[in-house]
Amino acid sequence: MAQRGIIKDVVITPVAFHDMPLLNAVGVHEPYALRSIIEIIASSDDDDKATLYGLGESYGDSTHLDRLQKVATQLKGASVYNTNHIYRICINAMQGDTSTGGDGMAGLVTTASVVDKVFSPFEVACLDIQGKLAGLPVSELLGGRVRDKVEFSAYLFYKWAGHPGQPDDEYGAALDAEGLVRQAQKIKDEYGFKAIKVKGGVFPPAEEVAAIRALRAAFPDSPLRLDPNAAWSVETSNWVARELAGVLEYLEDPADRIEGMAAVAREATMPLATNMAVVAFSHLPPSIRQDAVQVILSDHHFWGGLRRSQTLGTICATWGMRLSMHSNSHLGISLAAMTHLAAATPNLDYACDTHWPWKRRDEDVVIDGALKWADGGLLVPTAPGLGVELDRERLAKLHQQYLDCGLTKRDDTTYMQKFQPDYTADVPRW
């Protein structure tokens, strides 16, 4: 008798969707964001004839696509229930891999585990299938949801009005405090987000401190966060921490590496958070020894999937650290996975990051209607699996967009240098 859940095929489809000119410490977002859509096809009944699919989503850089494909060719015959075996396949496939890049984050996060990044979308797709076969949402497979709605934050960016040579986008320019306040109001009006995060590291720190104060004046009840992506020295970070004492919910990655964060943490009165200094399990011991960070921004895309991200949550709880969630440009499959994970992780109690407002509403790869926003959060899907289904027509459109756009990796710095030739991404900048 055949076993249910045996992998029959794996399809990896690179896609591109429109992105806005969002500024950060290493440049500016290009006109398109790249992602990979992973579809695992597995047996769904005991006679091995019927099949069903599970979905995962990950980075779309060419190096990462090659790594995913190397693993995909070895997954046929594996069980979607034996994710430990699939993890070992990833380890073996990545042995001897000397390729560089593939992080999908323009070099902002370069020390995450390659194996964990490769394994993650396959594990999510396997859990999607497990849920469908059991008739349960993924959050139930992760131990059961502790919240029915996952709160997200309004993620603000300094930005140009539009990409050079193109019409202004719906958000327009935000190059000062007034622009950020206007941007925050627009996002809060549409989604109801309560917490506000500012992507800093773009302008001199005094200007960004003034922007945070303007946001506090405009939204006195909103928790505030500032993330300069390690663009500041320890000295500058300490100055900002003093200036914004009692204002910020947490200060994210002000300085580079664990040692830099630890030096700031010794002086700062607010918690320090990171998705740059601590991005793999091997980083936790030195960080904990130095009390370098008090909040980890989890991200299942590079922490090794949903269950390993829950392990991270357990470690954080053991050592008295708190847990938030990082975001990169993403589509609906990732948003569904992020939501199930946050719903089933008791101590992930900060509002999560999301880039959702920054993509066009009509661009995705899932059928509309499954992901429902309500008063600042996303209702946890209750349908079996991730609760989202593939829209193959839209998938084909975004795949063709990938083929046509000419991009094979995210490179914010080179794109910025097209318009500012003397621009450098060297940090610390201040």
Side-chain angles (χ1 to χ4, degrees):
M1 180 181 295
Q3 181 183 350
R4 297 197 308 168
I6 299 301
I7 295 174
K8 300 300 180 184
D9 198 9
V10 180
V11 180
I12 300 172
T13 306
V15 298
F17 60 98
H18 288 87
D19 201 0
M20 299 186 197
L22 310 178
L23 297 164
N24 56 50
V26 297
V28 60
H29 285 207
E30 296 169 282
Y32 294 93
L34 307 180
R35 299 294 275 177
S36 54
I37 306 303
I38 289 79
E39 183 180 0
I40 290 181
I41 296 93
S43 56
S44 63
D45 62 19
D46 292 339
D47 65 11
D48 205 32
K49 293 179 181 178
T51 61
L52 78 171
Y53 67 85
L55 298 174
E57 179 185 331
S58 190
Y59 313 111
D61 294 27
S62 58
T63 298
H64 188 62
L65 289 169
D66 290 342
R67 292 168 178 161
L68 292 173
Q69 196 60 56
K70 188 179 294 186
V71 170
T73 60
Q74 302 179 45
L75 291 184
K76 291 182 182 179
S79 170
V80 300
Y81 295 102
N82 195 347
T83 53
N84 285 332
H85 174 57
I86 293 172
Y87 192 77
R88 288 194 297 272
I89 290 174
C90 292
I91 292 173
N92 294 334
M94 292 302 103
Q95 286 183 351
D97 177 60
T98 59
S99 58
T100 58
D103 55 76
M105 286 179 279
L108 289 169
V109 180
T110 59
T111 57
S113 162
V114 169
V115 170
D116 283 347
K117 287 189 292 186
V118 170
F119 171 69
S120 175
F122 296 118
E123 186 235 28
V124 171
C126 287
L127 289 171
D128 190 19
I129 292 173
Q130 290 180 35
K132 289 177 177 178
L133 289 173
L136 295 171
V138 164
S139 56
E140 295 299 300
L141 302 182
L142 297 176
R145 62 183 182 273
V146 297
R147 50 188 68 90
D148 295 326
K149 183 181 72 173
V150 172
E151 297 287 334
F152 286 86
S153 62
Y155 199 162
L156 309 186
F157 285 81
Y158 291 105
K159 64 180 294 295
W160 298 335
H163 286 283
Q166 298 183 19
D168 292 357
D169 58 52
E170 64 173 291
Y171 284 90
L175 299 171
D176 53 23
E178 182 181 358
L180 286 183
V181 169
R182 186 169 57 248
Q183 184 185 108
Q185 190 65 65
K186 176 176 170 57
I187 294 176
K188 288 169 74 71
D189 285 347
E190 180 169 355
Y191 293 94
F193 297 144
K194 299 172 181 64
I196 295 173
K197 172 176 172 173
V198 174
K199 177 63 74 178
V202 176
F203 293 112
E207 292 185 33
E208 296 184 357
V209 166
I212 291 293
R213 288 175 173 154
L215 288 164
R216 167 54 68 236
F219 308 103
D221 298 323
S222 291
L224 300 178
R225 311 162 184 177
L226 176 59
D227 173 20
N229 283 130
W232 304 335
S233 67
V234 169
E235 292 73 21
T236 299
S237 300
N238 283 332
W239 178 82
V240 172
R242 289 193 297 271
E243 290 293 306
L244 295 178
V247 179
L248 292 180
E249 179 179 37
Y250 57 67
L251 178 58
E252 182 179 339
D253 285 310
D256 193 25
R257 303 184 185 278
I258 290 171
E259 292 72 23
M261 293 289 283
V264 179
R266 287 193 288 271
E267 303 291 334
T269 58
M270 73 283 286
L272 298 190
T274 188
N275 74 277
M276 294 179 67
V278 181
V279 294
F281 288 97
S282 61
H283 300 159
L284 287 166
S287 175
I288 291 170
R289 279 196 297 269
Q290 298 176 62
D291 193 21
V293 298
Q294 293 72 51
V295 182
I296 301 288
L297 274 76
S298 65
D299 186 329
H300 75 270
H301 301 90
F302 59 73
W303 278 95
L306 305 186
R307 285 183 170 139
R308 287 174 71 81
S309 294
Q310 285 193 303
T311 299
L312 170 65
T314 300
I315 295 171
C316 286
T318 300
W319 290 96
M321 302 161 69
R322 294 189 64 185
L323 201 60
S324 189
M325 185 180 284
H326 170 255
S327 167
N328 192 26
S329 299
H330 62 82
L331 294 168
I333 298 169
S334 282
L335 182 61
M338 292 159 65
T339 301
H340 282 287
L341 172 61
T345 306
N347 59 322
L348 209 168
D349 51 5
Y350 280 111
C352 303
D353 292 350
T354 181
H355 284 60
W356 192 258
W358 297 111
K359 75 176 190 66
R360 292 186 180 178
R361 294 168 182 79
D362 62 343
E363 287 193 327
D364 212 306
V365 297
V366 298
I367 296 172
D368 288 335
L371 301 173
K372 299 175 181 177
W373 295 98
D375 190 28
L378 195 78
L379 300 179
V380 182
T382 56
L386 290 175
V388 296
E389 297 296 337
L390 202 57
D391 186 322
R392 296 191 182 279
E393 183 176 340
R394 298 168 90 186
L395 175 66
K397 179 180 178 181
L398 295 194
H399 176 58
Q400 187 61 51
Q401 204 157 258
Y402 168 84
L403 297 174
D404 293 340
C405 76
L407 300 178
T408 58
K409 67 175 182 177
R410 178 181 167 185
D411 189 348
D412 295 13
T413 303
T414 299
Y415 185 57
M416 173 69 93
Q417 290 169 342
K418 290 175 62 176
F419 313 106
Q420 298 180 22
D422 60 346
Y423 180 83
T424 174
D426 294 341
V427 295
R429 187 167 293 119
W430 292 282

